[in-house]
Amino acid sequence: MTAWALMTRTNHRESSRGHSQTGRPVHSRHAAVRPFEEIVAEHGPVVMRVCRALLGPADAADAWSETFLSALEAYPKLQPQSSIRAWLVTIAHRKAIDQLRGAARRPQPAGELPEVPATDAASAGESSMDDELRAALDALPAKQRGAVIYRYLADLSYAEVGELLESSATAARRSAADAIASLRKHFSKGAKT
Amino acid sequence: MSDKQIIDRLTNAFAGAGGIVDSDGRLHSRLAALAERQGLLDVSYRTVDSPLGLLLLAATGQGLVRVAFSCEDHDAVLARLASDISPRILRIPRRLDEAAHQLDEYFAGKRRAFNVPVDLQLAHGFRRSVLEHLRRIPYGVTQSYAAVARAAGNPSAVRAAASACSHNPLPLVVPCHRVVRSDGTTGEYLGGPDAKRALLAMEAAA
């Protein structure tokens, strides 16, 4: 035990020196390919915020797992210059549509984010969630909800939001502005009652 | 209410939501289980504490594929695995529990041979022949680089044999530390010469 402790102390000194002696490269030439674990660690929180905002806390965990599972499958073919965050948020957007479509009683129009059932937030019993905000978000048309979430919770550019919603940067900017105006109306109404 | 106040209310409401991803690792475990079931996991890894510092252990479906000392820079080693094998890499400790346990026993002097499947795909050609031979050098025994070159099928390739040892992807488990210079000095080692001396001393004493 003492021998090991002694050895480890000297080893640190030796290893930092010995490394360059062997000429082994410290930095890999292939460092551009990042292990998927790093992607999960770095972007897991933003994907969770988006999933919660789109679906409410009860269904967010499933959507999060499904998003990263699809991402893992496609990851080796991802173009190196792509924005990983925008790519993940796009997958989360599609997973949320799938999930809501699966849960919906009537069929939803393709490419649209269906309305979130208003009972979601309440049934999950999450105390920290702003109930009034939840209701206000749920009341937004799908495009507006998507635009405001992807712009302000995922911090995507309007160009990226436009692409994600299959419209334009201008349309995305307008949807986000409309969403904020609707939220304001909702909050001021709530304040009076 | 200004736009900024509304945006702040929105971002504040979800600011903590990201935290639950890491709070108990439950979501990560679920992702790992789904990935395994669907055959989307190519490399799993964990770290394990040892008297030689923190070790990185990585495995494919075939077996243990990489053991790395902390002086090799674990992040760089993982990036290298991502390009050499596959970027579908997740940290899944339980898949490497057995290897970690056997290493613990080895350092405690309670194990003389490793009994875990290994994947030698990171070594090719002569280097691979050298590793195959190294696996047969018993605990507590040393061999010269020249003897290893001979045993691996190319007596004149002494330098190549030494190079195969210094690039061993599985140090400790494939015991390159048991190969020493003909003059009896220990020679180089991935984990530093002191680590090699300590390992040889431990094995000699047991």
Side-chain angles (χ1 to χ4, degrees):
Chain A
M1 203 62 192
T2 330
W4 283 124
L6 198 68
M7 197 286 314
T8 313
R9 259 207 306 282
T10 52
N11 182 39
H12 288 306
R13 185 167 43 80
E14 282 287 342
S15 61
S16 55
R17 188 163 54 84
H19 210 60
S20 56
Q21 282 175 341
T22 62
R24 193 168 299 116
V26 175
H27 298 290
S28 165
R29 279 179 294 125
H30 310 283
V33 190
R34 299 174 66 200
F36 194 73
E37 179 69 34
E38 277 184 27
I39 306 302
V40 180
E42 184 178 331
H43 300 285
V46 71
V47 170
M48 181 49 85
R49 282 199 292 275
V50 166
C51 290
R52 286 205 160 197
L54 290 172
L55 295 166
D59 297 320
D62 274 344
W64 188 92
S65 302
E66 289 296 325
T67 296
F68 277 105
L69 193 65
S70 289
L72 177 63
E73 183 166 21
Y75 185 57
K77 282 171 276 172
L78 183 69
Q79 296 297 313
Q81 66 273 27
S82 317
S83 157
I84 290 182
R85 188 154 39 87
W87 174 64
L88 289 170
V89 171
T90 304
I91 299 173
H93 167 78
R94 293 193 190 128
K95 292 297 171 192
I97 291 175
D98 288 350
Q99 206 150 328
L100 291 168
R101 197 176 283 153
R105 289 194 187 136
R106 55 199 162 80
Q108 302 290 334
E112 290 290 314
L113 265 184
E115 305 301 318
V116 178
T119 51
D120 257 24
S123 63
E126 191 181 60
S127 56
S128 63
M129 183 58 196
D130 181 338
D131 285 342
E132 193 186 27
L133 175 64
R134 176 81 264 162
L137 277 177
D138 292 349
L140 291 176
K143 274 238 151 85
Q144 288 185 23
R145 185 168 59 241
V148 79
I149 288 170
Y150 304 139
R151 177 66 191 92
Y152 293 109
L153 291 180
D155 202 25
L156 301 188
S157 67
Y158 282 120
E160 288 169 326
V161 177
E163 199 169 320
L164 199 161
L165 294 173
E166 289 163 351
S167 58
S168 64
T170 316
R173 189 187 294 271
R174 198 184 312 122
S175 294
D178 289 348
I180 289 170
S182 301
L183 291 176
R184 180 186 293 114
K185 210 176 291 171
H186 195 103
F187 294 151
S188 57
K189 199 164 54 189
K192 277 174 208 154
T193 53
Chain B
M1 232 180 175
S2 70
D3 281 9
K4 189 178 177 304
Q5 284 172 311
I6 289 164
I7 292 161
D8 284 350
R9 183 162 174 185
L10 179 69
T11 51
N12 289 340
F14 294 99
I20 78 155
V21 175
D22 300 311
S23 62
D24 58 1
R26 195 176 42 89
L27 277 176
H28 189 286
S29 306
R30 187 147 159 269
L31 172 63
L34 287 168
E36 270 182 282
R37 199 185 310 156
Q38 300 196 16
L40 293 176
L41 183 70
D42 296 331
V43 179
S44 50
Y45 73 93
R46 70 169 283 169
T47 53
V48 59
D49 224 347
S50 87
L52 300 180
L54 203 63
L55 300 172
L56 174 77
L57 312 180
T60 63
Q62 299 291 303
L64 194 63
V65 74
R66 190 74 168 88
V67 174
F69 295 102
S70 54
C71 63
E72 297 178 77
D73 183 353
H74 290 172
D75 286 342
V77 170
L78 287 169
R80 196 56 193 260
L81 291 174
S83 61
D84 289 350
I85 299 177
S86 161
R88 286 176 180 152
I89 298 179
L90 285 175
R91 191 180 158 279
I92 309 180
R94 71 182 156 72
R95 296 211 3 157
L96 288 140
D97 277 354
E98 183 56 31
H101 177 65
Q102 292 192 16
L103 280 162
D104 275 346
E105 290 181 331
Y106 171 74
F107 283 114
K110 292 177 192 152
R111 173 173 287 276
R112 288 169 167 253
F114 292 98
N115 182 24
V116 289
V118 297
D119 178 347
L120 295 178
Q121 68 165 293
L122 293 173
H124 308 279
F126 181 67
R127 282 187 180 178
R128 187 159 176 156
S129 310
V130 170
L131 299 189
E132 303 274 13
H133 169 70
L134 294 185
R135 298 184 71 193
R136 293 193 287 271
I137 305 179
Y139 188 95
V141 173
T142 59
Q143 222 168 58
S144 69
Y145 290 108
V148 168
R150 205 160 45 237
N154 191 349
S156 62
V158 179
R159 287 178 72 106
S163 173
C165 292
S166 69
H167 289 88
N168 176 11
L170 291 160
L172 300 168
V173 174
V174 173
C176 59
H177 60 273
R178 291 175 195 153
V179 186
V180 295
R181 292 193 180 128
S182 309
D183 64 6
T185 58
T186 47
E188 283 179 7
Y189 189 56
L190 282 155
D194 283 338
K196 187 170 183 175
R197 273 192 288 276
L199 288 168
L200 292 173
M202 176 189 82
E203 293 192 4

